[in-house]
């Protein structure tokens, strides 16, 4: 596995692969890799000649009161996991390499961001779209892999690739869960033992909603109420949102139809957890 | 010469050239081609296997009170000129093809835009950077050609390519002038016969400034005063700006040193003309 920290070196390496006619799968991450990331790597490994993985905790997508400083980092462990799962190129630039001076240009996301996490994290998706625009040009992949746990991120990247005509195929990979249903996340390490026990309630609440829809419930408000009630009853967390939208457009719905996302965010003492399910309603 | 109007067809054609290992030079224009554009085409023709030219009057870069509707258009003539000068691929999408729905993402330019034309045309360079991001991904050139008449645009594109790591070389081509010194521009057709006679005063004023600098003048304000006075004396136009900055950073200067731009914009009754010279001061 090649380990690269400089943009120029990365561009040169990837250009060489492209010249050889090799297809490139790209897994952009913020590191502290877990099985969710491994699922992305495995999918990329299946579909491409070369798998490139980036680890970059992007300051631009953190708000002033968010966890940029204490976001978990372990580059050695990340390299080991990446190597074990067949990553060919491991790209881990530092902040100075990615932002050597104030950016003269930035990507601003105008749709799909006034709801869910975008609403409570202003500027977050601008930071995501900007760093991905940089990374996409550095890596120039054929396919880019994202986890559906961050379903709004997938929707934003879908818009970014479509509207800017990036010659890249977006591959969305289902959420990987612990045995008790908790969605894998680097932020799970923040949870106290008691919170960890409560955390699977997010997914259980979503499954309750799913069951209600399967039993014929089509009223969005009623389904949201179910989700909220379950979480309030089973956790000490504070609900940030529990909402339903069309997917990937993220438009509000009164009556459920077509592809919809039910998404929740819950604040615990030391961590804010998110989860979602996407349903295709006939 | 291939004539293409659909994004998909353009991407397919350009991909084919890249697969064959051909280098691609790209000349993005708003059409109504004149000798300034021809100079870009010629330069691209010299340096690349394939020359692609786009003609797209981009609504996103026009302000609400600007000349989008009446901007001169003549696609047949543009095709003839392009063909005559050896363009291989002529890309002329319509507005609906480029903007089929509200953009979910946009590029915002944060540096190099609070001066010169950027100051009096808010949002203009956001529109330029956004459409170029789209076009760059559609064409995927090795080199992109821009005229130095729009020197601030060259500076903005320089920042766009650098900060987003587009794998594209920016080639800036010197301004082409009429025999009497007037910079070639599609907007020159707006001038009345009397205004046309006065218009070369912009360049003459810049040459006066250049002579003063060559004679040792290093005070930015004094040089600007010279330029303004000459234009005020020799035209009925209203000076929008006559300013000096470092180039391409476009930072203010009190004392001239290094690479500097002296730039003017003058409003006539039916047209706003711009011109500039770039000096390298030892």
């Amino acid at each position: 596995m090649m380990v690269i920290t400089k943009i120029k070196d990365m561009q040169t390496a990837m250009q060489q692969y492209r010249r050889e006619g090799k297809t490139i799968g790209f897994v952009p991450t913020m590191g502290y890799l877990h099985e969710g990331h491994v699922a992305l790597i495995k999918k990329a490994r299946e579909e491409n000649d070369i798998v490139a993985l980036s680890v970059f905790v992007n300051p631009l997508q953190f708000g002033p009161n968010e966890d940029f400083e204490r976001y978990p980092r372990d580059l050695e462990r990340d390299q080991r996991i990446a190597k074990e799962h067949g990553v060919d190129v491991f790209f881990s630039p530092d902040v100075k390499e990615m932002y050597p001076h104030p950016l003269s240009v930035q990507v601003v996301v105008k749709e799909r961001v006034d709801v869910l996490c975008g609403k409570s994290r202003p500027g977050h998706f601008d930071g995501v779209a900007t760093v991905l625009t940089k990374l996409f040009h550095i890596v120039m992949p054929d396919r880019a892999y994202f986890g559906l746990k961050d379903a709004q991120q997938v929707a934003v990247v879908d818009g970014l690739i479509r509207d800017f005509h990036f010659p890249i195929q977006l591959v969305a990979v289902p959420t990987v869960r612990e045995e008790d249903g908790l969605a894998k996340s680097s932020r799970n390490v923040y949870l106290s033992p008691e919170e960890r026990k409560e955390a699977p309630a997010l997914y259980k609440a979503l499954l309750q909603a799913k069951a209600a829809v399967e039993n014929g419930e089509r009223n969005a408000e009623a389904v949201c109420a179910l989700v909220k009630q379950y979480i309030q009853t089973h956790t000490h967390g504070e609900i940030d949102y529990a909402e339903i939208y069309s997917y990937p457009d993220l438009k509000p719905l009164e009556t459920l139809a077509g592809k919809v996302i039910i998404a929740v965010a819950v604040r615990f003492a030391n961590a804010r957890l998110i989860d979602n399910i996407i349903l295709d309603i006939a």
Side-chain angles (χ1 to χ4, degrees), chain A:
Chain A
M1 184 177 77
M2 261 196 277
V3 175
I4 296 179
T5 58
K6 297 295 172 201
I7 291 170
K8 264 237 158 85
D9 296 343
M10 188 67 184
Q11 285 183 308
T12 307
M14 303 317 284
Q15 233 159 37
Q16 186 53 34
Y17 287 128
R18 269 197 308 288
R19 271 206 205 98
E20 293 167 6
K22 301 221 164 114
T23 58
I24 298 165
F26 176 42
V27 182
T29 81
M30 297 212 300
Y32 216 70
L33 302 181
H34 54 65
E35 286 164 63
H37 300 108
V38 170
L40 303 180
I41 296 170
K42 281 185 181 161
K43 186 84 174 156
R45 189 66 284 166
E46 279 168 38
E47 298 181 341
N48 303 276
D49 298 324
I50 299 296
V51 175
L53 178 132
S54 66
V55 171
F56 180 62
V57 184
N58 174 35
L60 215 61
Q61 72 192 66
F62 287 80
N65 297 316
E66 291 182 2
D67 56 347
F68 173 68
E69 292 300 338
R70 69 183 187 107
Y71 193 87
R73 293 162 169 91
D74 190 341
L75 218 48
E76 270 181 46
R77 188 174 152 275
D78 288 343
Q79 286 186 20
R80 204 175 58 239
I81 293 172
K83 197 172 171 183
E84 265 172 35
H85 292 90
V87 168
D88 300 291
V89 187
F90 185 96
F91 180 52
S92 54
D94 65 16
V95 171
K96 219 170 162 185
E97 178 71 8
M98 289 295 278
Y99 303 113
H101 45 69
L103 283 176
S104 72
V105 285
Q106 234 190 290
V107 180
V108 171
V109 185
K110 313 189 73 137
E111 304 261 340
R112 307 180 173 184
V113 288
D114 52 346
V115 297
L116 302 174
C117 291
K119 201 168 159 185
S120 50
R121 302 184 73 185
H124 168 66
F125 286 112
D126 297 346
V128 171
T130 299
V131 81
L132 284 176
T133 295
K134 288 166 72 81
L135 288 170
F136 283 170
H137 288 152
I138 294 166
V139 178
M140 283 290 194
D142 298 280
R143 299 180 189 83
Y145 295 80
F146 293 86
L148 274 167
K149 192 191 139 243
D150 297 310
Q152 187 172 18
Q153 177 170 275
V154 170
V156 166
V157 176
D158 172 75
L160 175 72
I161 287 178
R162 182 198 61 184
D163 288 352
F164 282 174
H165 316 289
F166 278 99
I168 297 173
Q169 188 195 333
L170 167 62
V171 183
V173 177
T175 303
V176 178
R177 301 181 178 283
E178 305 287 353
E179 291 217 351
D180 60 9
L182 174 62
K184 301 250 181 190
S185 164
S186 303
R187 289 189 173 98
N188 289 349
V189 297
Y190 297 152
L191 296 169
S192 72
E194 196 199 350
E195 288 171 340
R196 175 64 190 80
K197 271 184 214 148
E198 291 181 3
L202 272 74
Y203 187 52
K204 291 207 182 95
L206 294 171
L207 290 180
Q208 297 255 319
K210 187 182 175 195
V213 173
E214 283 169 355
N215 285 328
E217 181 64 75
R218 290 292 179 272
N219 183 288
E221 215 171 300
V223 175
C224 286
L226 263 179
V227 172
K228 283 181 190 167
Q229 205 196 344
Y230 190 92
I231 292 170
Q232 277 160 355
T233 315
H234 292 84
T235 79
H236 290 82
E238 188 195 331
I239 296 173
D240 191 352
Y241 60 73
E243 293 169 4
I244 300 187
Y245 295 100
S246 64
Y247 194 83
D249 278 348
L250 302 183
K251 298 286 182 206
L253 292 169
E254 282 182 28
T255 305
L256 304 193
K259 208 168 174 185
V260 305
I261 182 168
I262 312 177
V264 295
V266 178
R267 283 184 200 284
F268 289 92
N270 296 305
R272 179 176 167 282
L273 301 186
I274 61 172
D275 204 348
N276 71 80
I277 51 173
I278 293 171
L279 304 177
D280 220 334
I281 299 168

